[in-house]
Amino acid sequence: MMLEILRVSWRSIRSNKMRSFLTMLGIIIGVMAVVLSSAIGVSSRDSVTSRVESLGSNILTIGPGFAQSGGINHGFGSASTLTVANATAIEKDDPDVALTAPLASDNAQVVFGANNTSAAIEGTNQNYATIKNITMAQGGFLTAADVTHSANVAVLGSQIEQTLFSGYAGSPVGQQIDIQGIPFTVIGVAATQDSTGFENPNDGIAIPVTTEQNLLTGSTTVSQILASAKSSAVMDDAQLEITSTLRVLHQLAPSAANDFQITNQATILSALSGISQTLTYLLDGISAISLLVGGIGIMNIMLVSVTERTREIGIRKAIGARKGIISTQFLLESLTLSLAGALIGLIIGGGGAIVVGQISKTGNLLSPTAVILAVVFSVAIGLIFGVYPARKAANLKPIDALRFE
Amino acid sequence: MSAAEGVMPTSRGAGVGSNGSAHSRPVLIDIRNLVREYSIGGQTIRALDGVSLQIHHGEFVAIMGPSGSGKSTAMNMIGCLDTPTSGDYILDGYSVAQMSEDDLADLRNQKIGFVFQSFNLLPKTSALENVELPMMYAGVPRRERRRRAEEALVRVGLGERMHNRPNELSGGQQQRVSIARALVNNPALILADEPTGALDSRTTEDILRLFEELHEQGNTIVIVTHEMEVGEHAKRIVHFRDGNVEREEWTDEKAGDAR
Ligand SMILES: Nc1ncnc2c1ncn2[C@@H]1O[C@H](COP(=O)(O)OP(=O)(O)O)[C@@H](O)[C@H]1O
Ligand SMILES: [Mg+2]
């Protein structure tokens, strides 16, 4: 019996293909949005997490503050007051800070044999590699002794190494390169690092900060200080400690603004993941609304269908169909519509999720939860919005239905 | 049988009349003081005004009368498609007035076969499937359903067109399908409302002959019509006027055949 009722419903859907498709559209879009939004959510969460890890999650970046004169903001980098001594003091005095590395940056011409290129020269200390999670491909990183002695030694980023030593068969370690005409000995080459945004970490050369200040910038200040907190839990404490240490060292009056600025990587990343979360919510909202609209569409068409088939309902009732049979027939029809819509939406959305997965290299993004959720939701919508038209059909009086023109 | 063509009283259980054999059988339809009122815009129309009527198993009855006399309303009552405002109706021992809608559906399914003026076949559905429908609601197994539907279609002379849809059949053929559908569940009563109203005179003859055959095979048939030529085929004619039975008339079998 059930099978026959299903056949009747199926026939009615098939005899109105275009209308059935348009009816399903809302559900199709809704399910598509559910699947895609979960895929995008997973994908962006994954990429944010991997960035957190690649950056080293506990890093605080101390940069120069906004130098303000007469209300005009000169932006970043105006007049740095940070020094190597500041970095040392922070590391020594602040209990929640593990390590610090000063950063003095400059761009310079680098030559090896016939090869030459322009590179970012980062003057720093031995802690830089630890803070930035840098591993060495060859040789070693800068040592504390290199910094104290202002040694003319350099650690190359992987890309710089390839440019400078292209065509050179031997190991770069121990070779001599010229930076701005000054000879440096290569003591190590860093392994290739993941790009973490705008700057390419493989494109730089690290030398002792003292050497950089003496030979290249000629300045006693540094452009940045990197500090790592002892754990991600004490990031905020570390930031407060650094602030007070620097204010004392820089002899700032209580009313004066900070002449430095501390950026908390975790804060940026949590803001980023907040944005991706918001995006997911937005898509979820769109899916919920379009599923709802889809449901209303189904109800609308089912009501039209009940009216169109009033006579058919009358015939069936006259011949002996009970109320339950009539309502089941229409309920099955709206269920079939919503399920078919869900299936089409799944196919399209699932395809989209796979494409997103390929592009973002996050692998399979078609989460079973999303699929189950979408199907359950559509079935619920088919039922909820099918009940009213089905009841309306079932409650028609046979004589009224038969007389209907 | 006597050729009495007189006016008969409508008294219940009167064992007199030309078709005495039918009267000796048990009562199938027992209507007492049936009233049906319609209210349109605050106005009340009394379509049935206290009708009393009995029909026995095996009878062939025509309900006749001018337009608006309440024939169709009576028909809907007899067919359990509508419920009376007041009065009693007992169909084959079942008191219809107090029944729930689902019980009425079952009763229609088991006891009544309908033939409508406009055929009322399901469109886009083959003749065979249309005839199977009452058995589907009766829960007859699929294979038996198919067999009995084919039998019924052969019986009404449509063995060749079983798989055609209604729109591929002529009016007469469609009415044969609906007659097959009406008799396939072996109902106690075949109820036809103006069954020839949409047919030409030749087809009308064919369909009426089919009803006569079914009557001879023992079926109880009630036909509503306003055409005398149609009514004459019945053994008893109940004349309606202004929502009540005006008079009853017993036709001579020979008079019916002479047409
Ligand atoms: N559904 C209805 N609503 C209101 N009035 C009706 C309805 N059906 C029938 N009537 C009225 O009841 C009376 C009897 O109608 P009906 O039984 O159809 O007569 P007949 O079939 O003999 O022509 C008529 O006056 C008609 O207008
Ligand atoms: Mg009528």
Side-chain angles (χ1 to χ4, degrees):
Chain A
M1 178 76 109
M2 206 63 185
L3 214 79
E4 259 110 26
I5 301 177
L6 191 68
R7 260 194 353 176
V8 171
S9 304
W10 181 239
R11 194 182 297 180
S12 143
I13 288 169
R14 272 205 7 206
S15 68
N16 269 313
K17 286 200 190 68
M18 189 63 188
R19 185 166 90 183
S20 299
F21 174 74
L22 290 176
T23 309
M24 287 186 285
L25 209 54
I27 300 287
I28 293 177
I29 293 171
V31 168
M32 224 167 72
V34 169
V35 173
L36 271 181
S37 89
S38 100
I40 290 170
V42 169
S43 148
S44 62
R45 196 162 52 243
D46 281 4
S47 72
V48 165
T49 318
S50 74
R51 274 175 200 207
V52 171
E53 278 156 9
S54 82
L55 277 175
S57 50
N58 308 340
I59 300 177
L60 294 157
T61 306
I62 306 152
F66 298 115
Q68 295 199 331
S69 53
I72 296 162
N73 188 340
H74 293 276
F76 274 115
S78 9
S80 175
T81 50
L82 301 167
T83 63
V84 175
N86 286 167
T88 317
I90 291 168
E91 186 175 314
K92 221 168 71 194
D93 298 346
D94 295 348
D96 288 317
V97 174
L99 296 171
T100 59
L103 266 182
S105 308
D106 200 8
N107 267 299
Q109 202 66 20
V110 188
V111 182
F112 174 74
N115 297 334
N116 80 89
T117 181
S118 166
I121 314 295
E122 305 281 5
T124 185
N125 66 10
Q126 67 284 357
N127 295 334
Y128 185 79
T130 315
I131 294 173
K132 283 282 209 177
N133 268 338
I134 291 169
T135 50
M136 301 304 292
Q138 301 176 50
F141 198 70
L142 306 172
T143 63
D146 291 334
V147 179
T148 10
H149 299 128
S150 301
N152 284 14
V153 292
V155 174
L156 306 183
S158 59
Q159 203 169 315
I160 286 289
E161 187 264 335
Q162 271 170 24
T163 315
L164 276 184
F165 288 86
S166 76
Y168 179 78
S171 167
V173 176
Q175 296 301 313
Q176 191 163 303
I177 58 172
D178 281 355
I179 299 173
Q180 209 118 298
I182 304 158
F184 281 75
T185 307
V186 175
I187 57 166
V189 178
T192 304
Q193 305 284 293
D194 277 344
S195 172
T196 54
F198 307 106
E199 47 176 332
N200 184 348
N202 306 310
D203 228 4
I205 296 176
I207 64 172
V209 63
T210 43
T211 317
E212 172 125 4
Q213 287 178 325
N214 293 342
L215 301 179
L216 299 176
T217 62
S219 159
T220 55
T221 62
V222 295
S223 48
Q224 281 185 341
I225 297 170
L226 298 182
S228 65
K230 286 207 167 124
S231 78
S232 51
V234 297
M235 292 285 279
D236 292 341
D237 292 340
Q239 185 168 347
L240 288 175
E241 291 160 13
I242 294 167
T243 307
S244 68
T245 304
L246 283 178
R247 285 186 70 87
V248 171
L249 290 175
H250 293 187
Q251 296 171 336
L252 297 177
S255 62
N258 290 342
D259 60 350
F260 55 89
Q261 204 187 28
I262 302 176
T263 329
N264 186 329
Q265 301 281 30
T267 313
I268 293 174
L269 288 165
S270 84
L272 263 179
S273 58
I275 289 170
S276 85
Q277 190 63 57
T278 309
L279 194 76
T280 315
Y281 284 148
L282 192 76
L283 278 164
D284 285 349
I286 291 173
S287 358
I289 289 169
S290 66
L291 280 175
L292 191 76
V293 170
I296 294 168
I298 286 183
M299 175 149 84
N300 184 31
I301 287 301
M302 291 311 297
L303 285 172
V304 170
S305 178
V306 168
T307 307
E308 276 181 355
R309 287 152 67 192
T310 300
R311 213 183 165 84
E312 176 193 324
I313 294 164
I315 296 170
R316 289 181 184 278
K317 288 195 143 193
I319 284 170
R322 289 175 165 215
K323 279 178 161 194
I325 287 175
I326 301 291
S327 62
T328 307
Q329 180 186 326
F330 282 89
L331 213 52
L332 272 180
E333 197 169 319
S334 77
L335 256 182
T336 311
L337 279 174
S338 65
L339 260 179
L343 212 71
I344 297 174
L346 271 183
I347 291 170
I348 302 175
I354 289 167
V355 169
V356 170
Q358 297 276 325
I359 291 171
S360 66
K361 298 189 182 67
T362 24
N364 180 27
L365 292 175
L366 193 54
S367 89
T369 324
V371 171
I372 292 167
L373 205 76
V375 172
V376 167
F377 232 75
S378 319
V379 169
I381 275 172
L383 278 175
I384 291 167
F385 289 95
V387 161
Y388 175 65
R391 283 180 55 107
K392 199 180 158 186
N395 286 332
L396 280 172
K397 292 189 76 175
I399 187 61
D400 296 335
L402 271 176
R403 207 183 283 129
F404 184 83
E405 292 303 327
Chain B
M1 307 266 164
S2 72
E5 223 202 316
V7 178
M8 297 303 295
T10 56
S11 63
R12 261 186 303 285
V16 278
S18 64
N19 205 344
S21 59
H23 270 73
S24 62
R25 298 199 194 167
V27 175
L28 173 62
I29 293 167
D30 191 357
I31 286 173
R32 294 172 195 191
N33 276 319
L34 211 62
V35 174
R36 176 65 163 105
E37 288 174 341
Y38 295 108
S39 48
I40 313 171
Q43 223 185 335
T44 307
I45 297 168
R46 204 166 244 240
L48 291 183
D49 188 16
V51 173
S52 294
L53 179 66
Q54 279 188 318
I55 295 172
H56 294 252
H57 276 280
E59 275 198 87
F60 186 177
V61 177
I63 294 176
M64 298 197 64
S67 181
S69 59
K71 304 185 297 290
S72 293
T73 306
M75 179 88 185
N76 295 335
M77 293 296 159
I78 294 171
C80 305
L81 291 168
D82 198 6
T83 44
T85 309
S86 70
D88 290 323
Y89 173 29
I90 293 155
L91 172 65
D92 210 11
Y94 293 93
S95 181
V96 170
Q98 284 85 33
M99 278 191 173
S100 74
E101 259 197 67
D102 278 351
D103 288 342
L104 284 176
D106 289 348
L107 194 69
R108 287 193 296 268
N109 185 248
Q110 296 302 315
K111 300 283 178 195
I112 305 167
F114 290 94
V115 178
F116 300 97
Q117 174 174 4
S118 49
F119 320 134
N120 277 340
L121 297 172
L122 293 188
K124 298 172 187 170
T125 308
S126 74
L128 199 60
E129 284 173 297
N130 262 294
V131 177
E132 279 186 42
L133 209 57
M135 293 186 282
M136 185 175 122
Y137 295 137
V140 176
R142 202 187 168 90
R143 294 217 352 241
E144 191 189 338
R145 225 158 62 199
R146 178 66 32 121
R147 184 180 60 72
R148 274 167 57 184
E150 283 169 357
E151 248 174 48
L153 281 165
V154 170
R155 201 165 149 199
V156 299
L158 265 186
E160 309 297 307
R161 315 295 304 259
M162 291 190 198
H163 299 284
N164 290 68
R165 293 173 172 195
N167 60 349
E168 297 160 347
L169 297 171
S170 72
Q173 287 170 332
Q174 287 186 60
Q175 198 58 302
R176 283 168 190 273
V177 175
S178 78
I179 292 170
R181 182 181 66 185
L183 57 84
V184 78
N185 254 0
N186 291 320
L189 172 66
I190 292 174
L191 209 49
D193 190 1
E194 306 271 7
T196 58
L199 304 175
D200 61 48
S201 54
R202 257 205 56 184
T203 320
T204 297
E205 264 319 299
D206 292 345
I207 293 296
L208 288 173
R209 200 158 303 130
L210 187 54
F211 276 117
E212 278 175 348
E213 272 172 39
L214 293 174
H215 168 60
E216 274 153 26
Q217 288 158 12
N219 290 289
T220 313
I221 296 170
V222 175
I223 287 186
V224 167
T225 182
H226 63 273
E227 291 171 283
M228 198 54 216
E229 308 87 76
V230 174
E232 277 170 351
H233 285 257
K235 301 292 178 278
R236 171 155 69 124
I237 300 174
V238 178
H239 290 276
F240 265 66
R241 181 173 292 278
D242 298 333
N244 215 329
V245 177
E246 183 192 31
R247 64 192 170 93
E248 290 191 54
E249 156 184 8
W250 304 87
T251 62
D252 191 344
E253 276 180 65
K254 281 181 191 126
D257 291 342
R259 286 194 61 258

